[in-house]
Amino acid sequence: MEHIQETCYLKVLVLASLNREVNIVTDDYNWEGLFGKKLNVFSLRESVKNLSNEKQKFHVIWNEGENEEEIFAKHVKFNGWAGSSFNIADHLKSLGMIDVTLAAFVDQGPQLKDLHDYLSQRGIKFIPLWASNTGVTFVFEDEERKAESIVCMEKPAKIETSYNRNKLLEQSWDVIICSSTPENINVLNLMIEIFSNNPNAIKTLMPSLKLIQSEDRDIKKTFQELISMTTIFQVNDLEAGRYLSLLNPESPQKPLYRRKLVMDLVKQLYVPVLIVTMGEWGSAVVVSDHEKEPRQIHQEALKPKWSIKSTVGSGDAFHAGFVRVYAQAEEKHNDDSLDLATRMGSEMAIRNLCTWGANMSQDESKKMLPIEFLSIVRSYR
């Protein structure tokens, strides 16, 4: 593993919409019928009347046209920039990736300068792309049921892909990461163009559940084209099962054993590296080669070093850890390189589970630093 160093100068692009994340604990909301679900939130705003000695008030509209609800936060655990793209870029910087650029769909309002300054402090380059609003991920938990949470996501209502497009297409990238890829034909076409312009780059794809479930014929066709150009394709077990059921609607809708689920997915799409994350059951990485049978690597979930806080963002953390090793590995499909990449993904995921907020910015002490990263590399086997 001598070729994997403490720092890495490959030029990385992380592309997606960007969210703010609000993670709260409450004790006065009716959770009946909501727990365990990922919901859409149409609009979320913080009350301007919040006082330091009172519970923090949020106004939420779950679907367009519905009445506004008030939710009172007993504790606000995290309130800051997040979103899949931000999380991955932030993790890669902490792992010693020097040249990381985040291209994100955000509104051009007053928050843009704050975001630019925030990223500059972390040494992350920023290319703002245009969206009608900056989305919000709203995570809230009940103090009585700490292991459970509801994730509500507000995505940009409109996205325009011509703004700053040239800044993406005129540069050469070594690694291109498309995370939480939206159900948007213009965004998919932009990704295909960037992939085409960088034929030798490592290209990774993490589709959103909405994209996987899309019934739009053009989007489905373009999504398949994008997959065919992808080096690393990552989904969780829920997304993998949903994808399989859509590919074969006649198949039984019973839950699949996880090992069968992974191998069935391999048969349905060809990508050099397929990753399926499975929470407490660990993760599976399948490497496909035209000349050999697919190889599957199973990584058991690691034991946490600290108490578990939130599962939000653990898939992003896994992806960053895996890509960090894979990108710098001299022989990328060597068993040792893949084992180490999978282990590093799990190391990152378990740290993320032990923090509030998906990017660990509120608990810098739990971030993995480049020297720690190199120590794991050196001690591996």
Side-chain angles (χ1 to χ4, degrees), residues 212-213 215 237-257 260-261 264:
I212 287 173
Q213 296 180 147
E215 296 296 329
D237 50 357
L238 170 66
E239 293 162 342
R242 185 61 181 150
Y243 185 64
L244 286 171
S245 67
L246 290 171
L247 287 175
N248 185 10
E250 302 302 319
S251 64
Q253 297 301 303
K254 295 179 180 178
L256 298 170
Y257 288 112
K260 184 177 186 306
L261 180 149
D264 281 355

Side-chain angles (χ1 to χ4, degrees), residues 279-290:
E280 62 184 297
W281 292 277
S283 56
V285 175
V286 181
V287 183
S288 296
D289 189 317
H290 285 300

